[in-house]
Amino acid sequence: MHTIEEILKDMAQRVYHLRNVHLSANCRYIYQLILDAPETKLTIPQISNQLGLSPHHLSTLFKREVGVSITRFKLLVRINHAVQLINTTNLPLSEIAAALNFADQSHLTREFKTFVGVSPSADRKNPHLTATWNLYNFLTINLG
């Protein structure tokens, strides 16, 4: 029950943040695209082509409005999803890594430890270690 409550809190926080975020239409599109499908391998040139903007302009705009690059945001969203999967499922870490398009389990472990501060296996054993970790701590978006 506690896990379900945490997932609902996270979802409510994401909705609250997104509703109150002042982003341009292009940045909001990218932001939502990545949140909706963190496992998708979208490239900056593919996204910029969809929006009719240069990759450099789009990257600069996103970083200015969100506070991190598109690539970093994609990684943070995948890490956020990994935290949720580790704490709510019994999926092996290798399957979580594959589902979120990490090269392998060790890649997931390296990135997870870099951003979260603990390894995925330590998190699985002690979910309270990631209780305060949040994707939005890394962003500098303009909240209303």
Side-chain angles (χ1 to χ4, degrees):
M1 195 63 170
H2 175 71
T3 303
I4 293 170
E5 185 177 302
E6 289 302 313
I7 291 170
L8 289 173
K9 280 183 193 176
D10 179 65
M11 188 171 75
Q13 187 176 30
R14 282 179 24 174
V15 169
Y16 172 79
H17 278 286
L18 189 57
R19 233 185 43 227
N20 293 301
V21 168
H22 300 286
L23 295 176
S24 65
N26 289 329
C27 286
R28 184 178 297 274
Y29 173 79
I30 297 165
Y31 188 94
Q32 194 61 52
L33 187 68
I34 294 168
L35 280 179
D36 288 345
E39 71 286 348
T40 304
K41 288 186 178 184
L42 286 172
T43 65
I44 295 169
Q46 288 172 326
I47 298 168
S48 65
N49 191 37
Q50 288 176 10
L51 296 173
L53 299 170
S54 77
H56 177 71
H57 176 72
L58 190 61
S59 295
T60 302
L61 182 67
F62 191 87
K63 185 166 186 170
R64 183 173 4 125
E65 291 189 28
V66 179
V68 295
S69 69
I70 294 171
T71 303
R72 175 64 53 101
F73 183 67
K74 286 169 48 177
L75 178 58
L76 287 167
V77 171
R78 289 168 44 214
I79 294 293
N80 190 62
H81 199 63
V83 168
Q84 291 174 348
L85 290 172
I86 289 166
N87 290 319
T88 60
T89 71
N90 290 323
L91 288 172
L93 295 177
S94 59
E95 286 184 32
I96 292 172
L100 294 173
N101 279 321
F102 285 95
D104 52 29
Q105 182 179 334
S106 64
H107 181 216
L108 167 64
T109 299
R110 271 192 317 278
E111 298 293 359
F112 195 96
K113 192 163 185 172
T114 297
F115 289 100
V116 179
V118 297
S119 69
S121 57
D123 180 34
R124 178 158 275 164
K125 290 175 189 167
N126 300 298
H128 71 279
L129 294 174
T130 57
T132 60
W133 191 88
N134 193 303
L135 159 71
Y136 299 103
N137 294 340
F138 294 86
L139 310 180
T140 59
I141 50 181
N142 180 16
L143 297 176

